[in-house]
Structures are given as structure tokens and as C-alpha cells.
Amino acid sequence: MRLKSSAAINLYLFGKHEHHHMSVKLSSTPLTTVSTLTQTLTSHPTESSTMVEADTEDDRLCSESADASASPQSNHKPLFLGCSSTREARIEKAWSHWKKLGEPKLIVAPMVDNSELPFRILCRNHGAEAAYTPMLHSRIFSENEKYRSQEFSTCKEDRPLFIQFCANDPDTLLEAARRVEAYCDYVDINLGCPQRIARRGNYGAFLMDKLPVVKSLVEKLSENLTVPVSCKIRIFPDLQDTLSYAKMLEDAGCSLLAVHGRTKEEKDGKKIRANWDAIKAVKNAVGIPVLANGNIRDMDDVKNCLDHTGADGVLSAESLLEKPDLFSGFKKLDQGELVVEYLKLCEKYPVPWRMIRSHVHKMLGDWFRVHPHIREDFNKQSKLTFEFLYNMVNRLRDLGL
């Protein structure tokens, strides 16, 4: 697929599904009509007026019902896996795909509002070898073109890429997945979110007691997509339950499994260490690639985790927010330089200001603790501008640490 190198793809409004390798025409303004052979794209997302952290957003994600967009066609081939594939054939194909991607080991984890395109590219510039998108709500993504344009964008440098959805309905999940399968290397199912929003929405880790639903989600995608299905899970308190869960996902057609070594009740990653032994046991129990998630704060942790678990790669989340260059293995830039690099990426690939605000807070956290009055000025800004943010970095540099 030919893409302009300087433009981010926004999924504004998709028409009928196209083959993975067809050429896509990019436009800087949204198109209003869609033919059966043309996907409508826009290169600039607009700013969202909602805050994911707020309770109102929790309710919106669970209850919003927007006008449905045109649904993709279901008669596309070839499939990544056929429903009649043997276990051995599925495992062989899963490994073939993983090896084709270069077997990435250093991976940006999915983070709501924090693993968007500019941040993914920033981490890739400093050692990350693959990345997940933030969790996308499959029903809203299927129905709401504004949500699609604001919450997802990508570009040709943004590969290998996992696009993650939360879901509890197989048909809705498939409709959402078909809109993005041409732009990713895996469609990932979020089976690990432990937050209140997931409990209310009946998805994420709260499907762990609804295993028939989980199985149906994986089977629906694995039997109908042109790209493989991955799953991100948490562990059960009982190891045997975890192993049975992992084997069920593999049998249902999951081609890659990311295991967060904490239960859904263990939400505080700073206080509760991830169980690497459980991840090791999963790796030994299944034949597909396994990624480890939890306790990755620096490159020593990466090495120790890979050695201990035998996993095929590691995910990092919170630590990357503070140190986007964590995977580089050494400190070559100060936090101000990383913020400036991130802001320039945001100017190139626009995203909602709430995401930018969050990243700047995290990356400049140490500097703000030394100069809290600068942080207070930052927090008072109801409407941010790039000029203000660049000037703020310069003020911090002038004050010194």
C-alpha cells in the first residue's frame, strides 16, 4: 500500500472493505461520499472535547449510540486462518508472521489516551520495535466517524502495529476490525483492562468469568480477518486456570498472546509486582509467541524478564510515559529535548490536546517537582498552544535542575 510519508491516516469514514495491498489516496479534508472501491480518509484529526479520566467519559463509552456508518463487506479473502486449520498449522502460521515482522522484543503497551501515534513514533525513534494503539471501543468505532477520526491515526513508519479493541459482541468487533485490518499487523482484543469502565461496559478483564464470550470473539476474528488476532490478558489467581485460559485462546485462533502478570484485582503496578513465573508457565504451555507485561522499568528489567520468562518480547507502559527513550538503553537526551521532539510530532500528526497535556505532565514530572510554580502555570492553561509549551520548556531549562 502506497502512503505519503508525511501524512497520518485517519479513519474518517470507511466504505466497503478493500484488499490489504490496494493504493489509497490521501486527502487533507474529509470526503463526503464513498464509492465501493474507495476508503475515505482524512489526514488531520480534530480535538476531542472529552476527558477519558472523567466519570462522564466512562459513561459515554458504555452508553453512546451514534448514527451507524456504512458497514464493510464480509466477502473478502484470503483469511489469515481458516476455521478448519489444525493446531499445528495455526502455530506455524503464527510464527511465520511473527518472524516476518522481525520478532520485535521491545514493545509499547496499549495505554488509554497515551499510546497515540506521536507517542508511538517518539518511542520508535528511541528503540521501540513495535507498538499498540490505545484501546478503542469497538461499537463506537464502528458507529461514529468522529470517534474514528479523533481516536485513531497511523502512518507508514508506524509498523509493526497492534490495533486494540475492547468488545463483548463478536459481530460488532468484526465490523470494527475490518475497518483497520489493512493498516496493522495484528488486531488485538483487550481482555485485561481492570478498570471501572471495563466492569460497567462488560469487557476487558471482566470477561474472564465469561469464557464462552471470549472464545467467540477470538473465533469470529480469526476466521474472518486477513491479519492475525492477538489477545492481551491478565492472569487468574490460580495458575491452572491461567494455563487453561491461554490454551483456550490459542485453540480459538489467537496468534500471539500478551500476558500481564497481575490479576484483575491487582491494579497498582507500583505496589504489586507482576508474576513472571506465571508468564513463564504460559509460555511453556502454548505454542504461539508470548509477550510479557509487568515490571519493565529499564533495560535491566527487559533482560531479566526475557531470561526469566522465556517470552518473545516485553511490553512497557507507565515507565515509557516518563522515559520514552527507555528502550534505547542509554540516556542521550534530557526530558526537555524529548518533550520538544514529541511536540514536533504532534504538529505533524495532530491529536487531541488532552493527550498532549498528559504526556507533557509525565515527561516533565521531575522538572515540575523542582519548579512547581511552572507546573501551576501549566495547569492553569485551559487552552494549550504549541508556543506556550515550547516556551515552558525553555523556562525550565533556564531555571535549571
Side-chain angles (χ1 to χ4, degrees):
M1 183 171 62
R2 298 193 302 271
L3 302 177
K4 292 182 180 179
S5 61
S6 62
I9 300 173
N10 255 111
L11 303 187
Y12 184 79
L13 176 61
F14 273 62
K16 295 183 179 180
H17 186 82
E18 297 173 283
H19 191 276
H20 184 1
H21 298 295
M22 77 169 291
S23 182
V24 178
K25 182 178 180 181
L26 299 179
S27 171
S28 60
T29 56
L31 301 178
T32 56
T33 59
V34 183
S35 75
T36 58
L37 296 177
T38 303
Q39 297 172 332
T40 305
L41 307 172
T42 179
S43 62
H44 295 290
T46 56
E47 181 177 353
S48 173
S49 60
T50 58
M51 295 293 289
V52 165
E53 294 83 2
D55 289 346
T56 54
E57 175 70 5
D58 288 359
D59 295 332
R60 185 183 72 82
L61 284 176
C62 296
S63 64
E64 178 178 343
S65 179
D67 293 337
S69 305
S71 299
Q73 291 288 346
S74 60
N75 58 346
H76 69 301
K77 301 285 181 180
L79 304 181
F80 183 78
L81 293 176
C83 58
S84 61
S85 298
T86 64
R87 178 178 185 271
E88 292 73 18
R90 291 196 302 270
I91 290 174
E92 181 181 357
K93 195 155 191 180
W95 276 105
S96 176
H97 183 76
W98 185 242
K99 290 176 180 178
K100 184 178 178 182
L101 297 177
E103 301 182 80
K105 293 189 181 301
L106 310 175
I107 302 167
V108 180
M111 296 173 278
V112 173
D113 269 4
N114 282 302
S115 55
E116 83 294 348
L117 177 59
F119 187 73
R120 296 196 301 268
I121 297 298
L122 177 67
C123 293
R124 291 179 191 274
N125 289 347
H126 297 281
E129 298 169 347
Y132 286 71
T133 67
M135 180 191 74
L136 301 169
H137 193 293
S138 59
R139 177 181 59 77
I140 302 177
F141 194 88
S142 299
E143 298 174 352
N144 190 323
E145 64 191 55
K146 181 179 179 181
Y147 179 83
R148 292 196 294 273
S149 74
Q150 290 179 343
E151 302 303 321
F152 175 72
S153 59
T154 189
C155 64
K156 73 173 187 177
E157 295 85 5
D158 190 29
R159 305 295 283 269
L161 180 64
F162 296 72
I163 299 181
Q164 186 183 79
F165 289 103
C166 66
N168 54 35
D169 179 80
D171 291 330
T172 300
L173 176 60
L174 178 60
E175 181 178 353
R178 281 191 172 148
R179 296 179 184 275
V180 301
E181 62 181 320
Y183 303 99
C184 65
D185 301 285
Y186 291 90
V187 171
D188 185 78
I189 306 174
N190 182 325
L191 300 172
C193 180
Q195 302 303 324
R196 195 174 38 175
I197 180 178
R199 182 180 67 248
R200 290 210 293 265
N202 190 32
Y203 57 78
F206 295 92
L207 293 179
M208 292 173 73
D209 58 354
K210 301 177 178 68
L211 296 188
V213 174
V214 172
K215 184 179 180 181
S216 69
L217 294 173
V218 178
E219 287 179 337
K220 176 65 77 169
L221 293 194
S222 67
E223 294 171 6
N224 289 281
L225 292 184
T226 61
V227 294
V229 180
S230 61
C231 297
K232 187 169 184 295
I233 66 171
R234 284 183 171 242
I235 61 174
F236 283 92
D238 182 83
L239 178 59
Q240 289 305 313
D241 289 342
T242 301
L243 300 184
S244 297
Y245 187 31
K247 291 175 184 177
M248 182 205 75
L249 292 169
E250 180 184 59
D251 291 342
C254 176
S255 293
L256 180 144
L257 191 59
V259 184
H260 188 149
R262 298 182 178 91
T263 68
K264 74 173 183 290
E265 290 77 26
E266 296 173 335
K267 299 178 185 180
D268 192 337
K270 293 184 177 180
K271 294 181 179 178
I272 303 172
R273 287 192 59 78
N275 185 343
W276 285 358
D277 289 335
I279 299 174
K280 178 180 181 179
V282 171
K283 172 60 184 173
N284 292 334
V286 300
I288 57 177
V290 172
L291 306 179
N293 186 197
N295 305 345
I296 303 301
R297 298 157 300 185
D298 53 40
M299 288 302 289
D300 286 340
D301 288 339
V302 170
K303 181 181 185 304
N304 292 337
C305 182
L306 292 174
D307 289 344
H308 187 98
T309 64
D312 303 290
V314 299
L315 308 183
S316 183
E318 291 293 325
S319 296
L320 277 178
L321 295 178
E322 297 176 4
K323 300 179 290 185
D325 56 349
L326 183 155
F327 288 141
S328 69
F330 55 91
K331 193 71 178 173
K332 60 183 179 180
L333 297 176
D334 66 29
Q335 295 306 97
E337 290 173 303
L338 286 170
V339 169
V340 168
E341 183 180 348
Y342 171 70
L343 293 176
K344 290 184 181 299
L345 287 166
C346 291
E347 290 188 272
K348 183 176 183 180
Y349 304 120
V351 292
W353 279 105
R354 72 176 191 274
M355 298 180 184
I356 299 173
R357 184 185 291 272
S358 175
H359 281 297
V360 171
H361 260 295
K362 291 284 189 179
M363 281 190 271
L364 293 179
D366 288 341
W367 288 18
F368 283 153
R369 280 186 281 275
V370 177
H371 303 294
H373 64 287
I374 304 294
R375 180 181 57 212
E376 291 170 7
D377 288 346
F378 178 38
N379 291 338
K380 289 176 182 177
Q381 303 300 310
S382 59
K383 185 174 182 180
L384 290 175
T385 66
F386 287 108
E387 180 181 12
F388 173 86
L389 293 173
Y390 287 127
N391 287 337
M392 183 178 70
V393 172
N394 289 333
R395 288 175 65 194
L396 288 166
R397 284 172 168 163
D398 291 341
L399 289 168
L401 285 177

